[in-house]
């Protein structure tokens, strides 16, 4: 508490000094150069625009001594890289200027994925007689939708602390929000209430529009990700192909350590950095989920430790320790094969864990969709929701059947429905499944699970399933590209080495010099295998929204590339 108060005091004093020094200039800047007020409201930054601009200029003023010191050091030491510190005040001001727009974009993207379920929740609650503001209050306590929880708390603050009526608070929340579908939904509801329109009809039709808009955005995102994957393949494969051809020719004609330095720098420094850039771009384009499954990454850490131990054994402890058995293994297994075995051992266990978890998650989501359809029909007989669930537990819903049987047995023991489904939500790692079950429990809780409410929930869940299915189908064809790229990269590099090496050998045959083509081929094979391993990770992130999904692609690419390095030279020499 004391540290938090100290930080608040420090921030307040910084704001105060900034406004004292640059307050008048900030007002002129806002009138004539740039208006920050709207951007700050969209970003959710609770500060006056004059104070924010004053802080920007004051931060630039504080960093001016760094510029002066950098200029002095450049003059006396001639250390040119210090020139990047000269415009530090300008960097600080640029950061201040772009931060509101970045924060606004993050706020919009965080709510965009939750918005279809928010509108579905409000619509389902409205069919049970619950007002949207009451639904917003309930959403303020829901951890499954953190972005909407923050927005709900802002609305509740305006109503319960500042005394604004709920309708005006909803209108005010929508006016300054960066997400267009949220603005349309909230402001449309307020207009419908004011004009006396059919609120239930508006909410349902608007929810349908939001789901359709979501489907169109996901399709457009899939197209953009496909273009991003194509760009990545063009950059990482065609550029790498050109570089490796140059590196191979240079390695044959050069001698000493410098013959490999450019290739090693490209493979182990430049290519990974470029891959990180593409992963960041893919992460920015893809819809975000507030729930992450860290189990594959934990398994990857353990299997990587085992893989390092295997690599040391296969390479004879990198020549540090001399044993006859190590020499035998080194003669039996060359370095590219050892590296490939190491990478496969590191990636196969987490790939299996991720595939198992993804398959189970997909099967549970499909099972829940079928269960909701059957629940709607069974509910029409007049049975209570709990009794309907017990009867449906005897049907086959795939992986979800085991969970449904457990739910039915707990209900038969007299455990409350909400507690039963909350226990199920803790067992599953699917955010979509948890949301659907949450909506079902809320619908039953507020209205007894009427037929209309469950039908609405079933319809919205089917639309979500169709959107996710279309997204997977659109991105699937692009995953094949890296496999052809890996084979082409290895084959072209080795063929270039062979042809150029033979040409140089024939040209220098009578001069007594000889090129160790085998050593050069081993070095390049290891580099290409490492390169395609990185390509697999990025392909998984772009194609399936997870680096863990790239584990299997990396393992398969490493195996295929290793086989290409073995069989391509043999095919050429036939």
């Amino acid at each position: 508490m004391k540290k938090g108060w100290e930080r608040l005091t420090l921030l307040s004093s910084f704001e105060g000094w900034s406004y004292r020094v640059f307050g008048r200039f900030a007002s002129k800047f806002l009138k004539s150069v740039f208006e920050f007020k709207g951007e700050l409201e969209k970003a959710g930054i609770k500060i006056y625009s004059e104070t924010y601009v004053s802080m920007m200029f004051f931060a630039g003023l504080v960093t001016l001594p760094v510029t002066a010191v950098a200029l002095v050091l450049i003059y006396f030491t001639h250390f040119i890289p210090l020139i990047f510190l000269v415009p530090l005040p300008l960097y600080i001001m640029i950061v201040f200027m772009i931060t509101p727009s970045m924060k606004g974009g993050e706020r919009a993207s965080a709510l965009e994925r939750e918005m279809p379920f928010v509108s579905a929740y409000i619509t389902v609650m409205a069919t049970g007689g619950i007002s949207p503001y009451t639904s917003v209050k309930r959403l303020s306590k829901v951890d499954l939708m953190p972005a909407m929880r923050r927005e709900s708390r802002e609305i509740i603050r305006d109503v319960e602390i500042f005394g604004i009526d709920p309708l005006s608070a909803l209108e005010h929340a929508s006016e300054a929000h960066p997400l267009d579908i949220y603005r349309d939904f909230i402001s449309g509801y307020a207009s419908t209430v004011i004009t006396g329109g059919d609120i239930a009809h508006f909410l349902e039709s608007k929810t349908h529009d939001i789901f359709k808009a979501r489907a169109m955005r996901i399709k457009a995102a899939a197209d953009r990700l496909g273009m991003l994957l194509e760009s990545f393949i063009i950059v990482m494969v065609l550029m790498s192909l050109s570089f490796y051809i140059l590196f191979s020719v240079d390695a044959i004609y050069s001698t000493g350590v410098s013959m490999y330095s450019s290739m090693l720098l490209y493979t182990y420094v430049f290519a990974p950095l470029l891959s990180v850039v593409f992963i960041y771009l893919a992460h920015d384009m893809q819809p975000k989920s507030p729930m992450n499954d860290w189990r594959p990454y934990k398994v990857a850490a353990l299997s990587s430790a085992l893989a390092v131990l295997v690599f040391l054994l296969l390479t004879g402890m990198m020549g540090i320790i001399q044993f006859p058995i190590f020499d035998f293994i080194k003669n039996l297994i060359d370095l590219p094969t050892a590296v490939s075995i190491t990478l496969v051992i590191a990636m196969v266990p987490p790939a299996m864990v991720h595939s198992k978890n993804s398959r189970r998650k997909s099967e549970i989501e499909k099972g829940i969709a079928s269960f909701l359809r059957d629940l709607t029909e069974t509910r029409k007989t007049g049975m209570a929701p709990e009794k309907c669930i017990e009867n449906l537990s005897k049907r086959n819903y795939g992986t979800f059947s085991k969970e449904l049987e457990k739910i039915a047995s707990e209900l038969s023991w007299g455990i409350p429905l909400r507690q039963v489904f909350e226990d199920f939500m803790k067992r599953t790692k699917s955010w979509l499944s948890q949301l659907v079950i949450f909506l079902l429990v809320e619908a039953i809780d507020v209205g007894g699970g009427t037929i209309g409410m469950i039908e609405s929930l079933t319809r919205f869940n089917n639309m979500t399933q169709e959107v996710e299915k279309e997204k997977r189908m659109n991105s699937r064809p692009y995953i094949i590209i890296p496999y052809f790229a890996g084979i082409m990269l290895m084959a072209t590099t080795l063929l270039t080495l062979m042809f150029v090496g033979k040409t140089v050998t024939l040209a220098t045959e009578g001069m007594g010099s000889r090129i160790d083509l085998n050593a050069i081929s081993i070095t390049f094979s290891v580099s290409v295998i490492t390169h395609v391993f990185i390509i697999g990770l990025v392909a998984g992130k772009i194609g399936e929204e997870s680096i863990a999904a790239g584990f299997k692609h990396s393992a398969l690419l490493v195996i295929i590339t290793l086989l290409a390095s073995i069989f391509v030279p043999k095919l050429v020499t036939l």
Side-chain angles (χ1 to χ4, degrees):
M1 183 70 180
K2 184 178 179 181
K3 291 183 178 179
W5 177 256
E6 289 176 353
R7 286 196 296 267
L8 181 61
T9 304
L10 178 62
L11 181 60
S12 301
S13 60
F14 181 69
E15 293 175 357
W17 278 104
S18 302
Y19 190 76
R20 289 177 186 176
V21 177
F22 292 103
R24 294 181 180 179
F25 181 74
S27 300
K28 296 179 181 179
F29 179 85
L30 290 170
K31 291 179 181 179
S32 57
V33 181
F34 191 80
E35 178 58 54
F36 270 103
K37 185 177 180 181
E39 295 294 327
L40 291 174
E41 289 180 350
K42 289 182 179 180
I45 300 175
K46 308 298 181 182
I47 189 173
Y48 288 109
S49 54
E50 292 85 357
T51 306
Y52 187 82
V53 173
S54 300
M55 290 170 62
M56 177 181 71
F57 286 114
F58 192 76
L61 178 64
V62 170
T63 54
L64 276 177
V66 178
T67 300
V69 172
L71 289 172
V72 172
L73 291 176
I74 291 172
Y75 180 78
F76 286 104
T77 63
H78 303 287
F79 187 62
I80 303 301
L82 288 174
I83 197 172
F84 292 105
L85 291 177
V86 174
L88 183 60
L90 182 61
Y91 297 156
I92 297 295
M93 294 175 66
I94 291 174
V95 169
F96 267 89
M97 294 185 72
I98 65 175
T99 295
S101 59
M102 292 179 63
K103 288 281 187 181
E106 291 174 1
R107 185 184 179 192
S109 62
L111 186 60
E112 183 182 5
R113 183 175 177 87
E114 300 175 10
M115 195 58 211
F117 304 102
V118 170
S119 60
Y121 176 80
I122 293 176
T123 302
V124 170
M125 293 296 102
T127 58
I130 304 298
S131 68
Y133 175 69
T134 305
S135 299
V136 168
K137 288 185 68 175
R138 295 171 73 102
L139 285 172
S140 65
K141 302 174 183 178
V142 178
D143 294 331
L144 285 174
M145 293 182 273
M148 188 59 202
R149 183 181 59 189
R150 289 192 294 269
E151 303 296 337
S152 301
R153 290 176 177 176
E154 292 287 330
I155 296 172
I156 294 171
R157 182 205 61 189
D158 290 342
V159 174
E160 299 186 358
I161 296 178
F162 297 113
I164 304 174
D165 65 277
L167 197 61
S168 300
L170 289 171
E171 283 187 305
H172 176 71
S174 65
E175 289 173 357
H177 204 280
L179 185 61
D180 52 351
I181 55 176
Y182 179 78
R183 291 197 305 268
D184 295 341
F185 183 78
I186 299 298
S187 61
Y189 163 73
S191 301
T192 304
V193 172
I194 293 172
T195 57
D198 188 348
I199 297 175
H201 175 72
F202 166 78
L203 291 174
E204 185 142 354
S205 61
K206 199 63 182 178
T207 300
H208 277 285
D209 294 340
I210 290 174
F211 270 95
K212 289 180 181 178
R214 176 69 178 171
M216 293 177 63
R217 293 194 184 196
I218 287 181
K219 186 176 181 181
D223 294 337
R224 290 197 301 269
L225 288 171
M227 294 175 60
L228 182 65
L229 184 58
E230 291 176 350
S231 303
F232 173 72
I233 296 301
I234 291 172
V235 172
M236 290 292 286
V237 175
L238 296 183
M239 184 178 69
S240 300
L241 193 61
S242 304
F243 276 123
Y244 277 121
I245 291 174
L246 294 175
F247 293 152
S248 60
V249 174
D250 181 65
I252 290 174
Y253 284 100
S254 303
T255 58
V257 179
S258 61
M259 63 186 293
Y260 298 131
S261 58
S262 299
M263 181 196 65
L264 297 177
L265 185 66
Y266 175 79
T267 303
Y268 300 105
V269 177
F270 180 75
L273 290 177
L274 191 61
S275 300
V276 169
V277 172
F278 276 95
I279 288 175
Y280 173 78
L281 293 175
H283 182 74
D284 188 59
M285 292 181 183
Q286 290 166 342
K288 312 296 187 301
S289 173
M291 181 177 295
N292 296 314
D293 188 3
W294 296 102
R295 288 175 292 178
Y297 301 101
K298 294 177 181 178
V299 175
L302 296 174
S303 61
S304 298
L306 176 62
V308 171
L309 180 61
V310 172
F311 178 75
L312 293 175
L313 293 175
L314 293 178
T315 57
M317 296 294 176
M318 299 296 292
I320 299 174
I321 302 175
Q322 298 295 330
F323 277 110
I325 185 64
F326 289 159
D327 295 334
F328 173 75
I329 294 175
K330 287 174 65 176
N331 294 330
L332 185 65
I333 300 175
D334 59 2
L335 186 59
T337 305
V339 172
S340 300
I341 292 173
T342 301
L343 295 176
V344 169
I345 291 174
M347 291 295 102
V348 167
M352 294 174 63
V353 171
H354 178 266
S355 298
K356 180 182 177 181
N357 295 341
S358 299
R359 185 166 55 251
R360 184 177 185 275
K361 183 176 75 171
S362 177
E363 290 175 357
I364 286 180
E365 290 174 356
K366 291 179 182 177
I368 289 176
S370 301
F371 164 73
L372 286 177
R373 285 194 294 268
D374 294 342
L375 180 62
T376 304
E377 300 302 321
T378 308
R379 189 75 177 89
K380 291 178 182 179
T381 62
M383 286 191 295
E386 293 83 356
K387 194 64 178 177
C388 293
I389 293 171
E390 291 182 17
N391 289 338
L392 292 175
S393 64
K394 301 173 184 178
R395 299 188 184 183
N396 182 20
Y397 296 108
T399 306
F400 181 63
S401 295
K402 296 181 180 179
E403 296 290 343
L404 188 59
E405 290 174 2
K406 189 172 183 179
I407 290 171
S409 63
E410 290 178 350
L411 288 174
S412 64
W413 297 339
I415 301 175
L417 180 66
R418 177 175 291 274
Q419 182 179 343
V420 170
F421 277 112
E422 284 179 355
D423 292 339
F424 164 74
M425 290 164 63
K426 292 177 182 178
R427 292 194 299 269
T428 182
K429 298 295 182 181
S430 171
W431 182 63
L432 179 60
S433 300
Q434 291 190 6
L435 277 174
V436 172
I437 294 299
F438 164 75
L439 291 174
L440 176 63
V441 173
E442 290 289 303
I444 295 174
D445 187 34
V446 301
T450 62
I451 296 172
M453 294 171 70
I454 298 178
E455 278 183 338
S456 299
L457 179 59
T458 304
R459 184 164 56 251
F460 297 144
N461 182 60
N462 291 338
M463 293 175 68
T464 304
Q465 291 285 337
E466 292 174 2
V467 168
E468 294 294 328
K469 183 179 179 180
E470 185 177 1
K471 179 185 68 176
R472 288 193 295 268
M473 291 179 63
N474 288 337
S475 60
R476 190 172 297 168
Y478 297 105
I479 299 298
I480 305 174
I481 301 175
Y483 291 92
F484 293 102
I487 297 173
M488 183 177 65
L489 191 60
M490 177 61 80
T492 306
T493 302
L494 292 180
L495 290 175
T496 303
L497 283 172
M498 291 175 61
F499 293 147
V500 176
K502 287 181 179 180
T503 304
V504 175
T505 301
L506 291 174
T508 60
E509 188 174 352
M511 300 180 183
S513 60
R514 186 175 180 84
I515 299 173
D516 190 357
L517 191 60
N518 184 49
I520 298 175
S521 299
I522 288 175
T523 304
F524 274 86
S525 297
V526 171
S527 296
V528 174
I529 288 170
T530 306
H531 196 72
V532 298
F533 171 79
I534 297 172
I535 290 177
L537 295 178
V538 181
K541 175 61 179 176
I542 296 177
E544 301 179 46
E545 301 183 5
S546 172
I547 295 178
F551 292 158
K552 61 178 179 290
H553 298 301
S554 294
L556 290 173
L557 278 169
V558 167
I559 294 172
I560 291 172
T561 307
L562 177 65
L563 294 175
S565 69
I566 295 173
F567 290 108
V568 167
K570 292 182 179 180
L571 292 174
V572 175
T573 55
L574 289 178

